[in-house]
Amino acid sequence: MTVRTDKHGDLLVITIDRPEVRNAIDHATATALAKAFREFDADRQRAACVLTGAGGHFCAGADLKAVAAGRGNRVTLEGDGPLGPTRMTLSKPVIAAVEGYAVAGGLELALWCDLRVAARSAVFGVYNRRWGVPLVDGGTVRLPRLIGQSHAMDMILTGRGVSGEEAQRMGLANRVTDDGESLHEAVRLAETLTRFPQRCLRSDRRSVLTQWGKPIPDALQQETLLGREVIKSGETIHGATRFNEGAGRHGDFSNI
């Protein structure tokens, strides 16, 4: 089994478990990873997910030994991405916990996640630049949208590695931790997300993900339509009532 799933209350931890190849992904692993995320999205109890890798590395991308042997990941216009879930738009957030290498397709998997928690010594990079392996799991699309075209071009054209701290300065990493602590911090962060009113959180997330390419008036209209559905659900009036009763004052989320 090259993909493990572990349930922690209302969240799920998905682990790529091929440490002998720095969690490089072959076709079978890509299929298992896509299956795990479909099951997470369909699970009504799990409100957030953490994606990580076993053995001190996040993911080194596609398994190039399999590619060289003619058993590379499928690259088609239809269906899942070559590394599995990278074409999916889930209804719930996913946080990447990055230790060691998140390079090539591993970088693309991290980009697909909503948030990235990285160890200081983590390395993000388009290492496939040196081998003639193209970015086909969203790297040329998501990286410039996250960190801007100038930073993205630097990484994509040069293939250089970027540390956790530089990644945070670029806006690629949302949190930086001491080495060995990224999973703990990602789980803690995911747990905070599970405690918020979920209909509203998922609606706002959906608006962010689907507004790209829309004219501003259309994006604003979509935001309003989605927000109205949340209000009609009763979640907003319930939250306003709790606030009126004293919960969450002065930015204190401890009693929400």
Side-chain angles (χ1 to χ4, degrees):
M1 183 179 298
T2 59
V3 174
R4 292 189 283 107
T5 59
D6 298 287
K7 297 174 181 178
H8 296 264
D10 291 335
L11 69 90
L12 182 73
V13 175
I14 295 178
T15 303
I16 307 167
D17 194 7
R18 300 188 77 208
E20 70 281 3
V21 289
R22 292 179 175 171
N23 300 315
I25 295 177
D26 58 8
H27 177 64
T29 305
T31 301
L33 206 53
K35 179 176 182 289
F37 277 108
R38 284 196 175 90
E39 290 176 352
F40 157 68
D41 209 39
D43 186 340
R44 293 188 177 185
Q45 183 176 347
R46 313 302 155 198
C49 180
V50 173
L51 173 63
T52 193
H57 293 285
F58 181 72
C59 175
D63 187 337
L64 294 187
K65 289 184 178 179
V67 173
R71 297 180 284 101
N73 299 28
R74 53 188 295 282
V75 183
T76 62
L77 295 178
E78 306 295 331
D80 291 331
L83 295 188
T86 52
R87 294 176 184 171
M88 296 179 185
T89 301
L90 303 185
S91 63
K92 298 177 281 191
V94 179
I95 300 173
V98 180
E99 299 279 343
Y101 288 114
V103 296
L107 170 64
E108 293 179 287
L109 276 175
L111 296 173
W112 173 74
C113 297
D114 295 274
L115 299 171
R116 284 148 295 282
V117 177
R120 296 186 195 283
S121 67
V123 178
F124 298 88
V126 186
Y127 278 18
N128 43 316
R129 175 58 52 233
R130 65 197 71 181
W131 311 121
V133 179
L135 294 167
V136 287
D137 278 278
T140 65
V141 178
R142 293 189 177 104
L143 188 60
R145 288 185 178 191
L146 282 175
I147 66 174
Q149 183 167 310
S150 180
H151 283 312
M153 280 298 194
D154 182 6
M155 292 183 68
I156 290 170
L157 297 183
T158 70
R160 73 181 182 88
V162 171
S163 71
E165 291 185 331
E166 184 178 2
Q168 186 178 42
R169 291 195 297 271
M170 286 181 170
L172 175 53
N174 300 93
R175 307 279 193 280
V176 172
T177 72
D178 291 335
D179 293 350
E181 293 297 317
S182 67
L183 179 56
H184 174 78
E185 175 62 17
V187 166
R188 188 200 65 78
L189 181 57
E191 286 174 342
T192 67
L193 301 187
T194 68
R195 294 197 292 268
F196 292 129
Q198 289 298 300
R199 185 184 291 268
C200 184
L201 181 146
R202 295 177 194 179
S203 176
D204 286 348
R205 175 181 176 274
R206 179 181 173 189
S207 181
V208 171
L209 292 176
T210 59
Q211 56 89 19
W212 292 99
K214 294 182 185 293
I216 287 179
D218 291 351
L220 292 173
Q221 184 180 61
Q222 173 183 258
E223 179 188 68
T224 302
L225 289 170
L226 290 170
R228 286 173 61 182
E229 290 302 311
V230 174
I231 294 167
K232 285 195 296 184
S233 75
E235 194 172 81
T236 301
I237 190 66
H238 178 66
T241 300
R242 288 191 297 120
F243 177 82
N244 191 51
E245 293 171 348
R249 297 291 178 89
H250 310 295
D252 179 9
F253 288 180
S254 62
N255 61 349
I256 60 172

